[in-house]
Amino acid sequence: MKNIFICIGVIIFIYVIYRVYKYQTLDDGLGTLIEKGAIILDVRTEKEFATGHIPDSQNISLGTIRERYTELDPTKTYITVCSHGLRSVKAESILKEKGFKKVYNGGAWSDLQKSIKNK
């Protein structure tokens, strides 16, 4: 019985840490950036992208972004998204390493899509 409570406690702890991480790494004002022409960069795999995505978003998977970043215009604004928000943080970091100045974390694509629709 003690082990069950420990497992439940660990699961709750991990979930809370994930939610805090998600909200701390998510950039504010994304809707305004999109209205001003920011490009949504979906860094999921092509198969994941094919199952659903934000209309007009561009797909370059995280696994290929180090080679394919040259396809992007460093003068434009990009909002990175993925399935849960972890890969988008990594993609944002990689693009900033490559000299991109206007890159923002959009978190999970489905959450961003909902927030866009609610505006």
Side-chain angles (χ1 to χ4, degrees):
M1 189 68 161
K2 182 179 176 182
N3 289 339
I4 293 173
F5 286 122
I6 291 172
C7 287
I8 291 171
V10 168
I11 290 169
I12 291 170
F13 178 75
I14 290 171
Y15 178 76
V16 168
I17 294 296
Y18 167 73
R19 297 303 286 185
V20 168
Y21 173 78
K22 179 179 175 182
Y23 288 111
Q24 284 183 340
T25 59
L26 195 62
D27 291 302
D28 293 329
L30 297 177
T32 304
L33 291 173
I34 293 168
E35 289 172 5
K36 292 182 178 181
I39 299 165
I40 299 170
L41 182 62
D42 194 320
V43 297
R44 297 175 298 148
T45 64
E46 289 179 15
K47 287 182 182 180
E48 288 174 298
F49 186 77
T51 63
H53 58 272
I54 297 172
D56 300 321
S57 60
Q58 187 174 349
N59 179 233
I60 297 179
S61 71
L62 179 62
T64 62
I65 201 157
R66 289 190 188 276
E67 295 83 32
R68 295 183 58 197
Y69 77 93
T70 57
E71 298 173 23
L72 304 173
D73 182 349
T75 64
K76 293 189 177 179
T77 302
Y78 292 94
I79 298 172
T80 59
V81 296
C82 63
S83 58
H84 298 293
L86 299 176
R87 287 179 280 181
S88 61
V89 171
K90 181 65 176 169
E92 175 190 18
S93 174
I94 290 169
L95 290 175
K96 286 182 176 177
E97 285 174 12
K98 299 294 184 184
F100 288 74
K101 302 285 187 233
K102 298 179 276 184
V103 183
Y104 302 90
N105 176 28
W109 76 271
S110 55
D111 291 342
L112 182 60
Q113 184 176 37
K114 287 175 193 171
S115 69
I116 294 169
K117 285 183 179 180
N118 290 335
K119 288 192 175 210

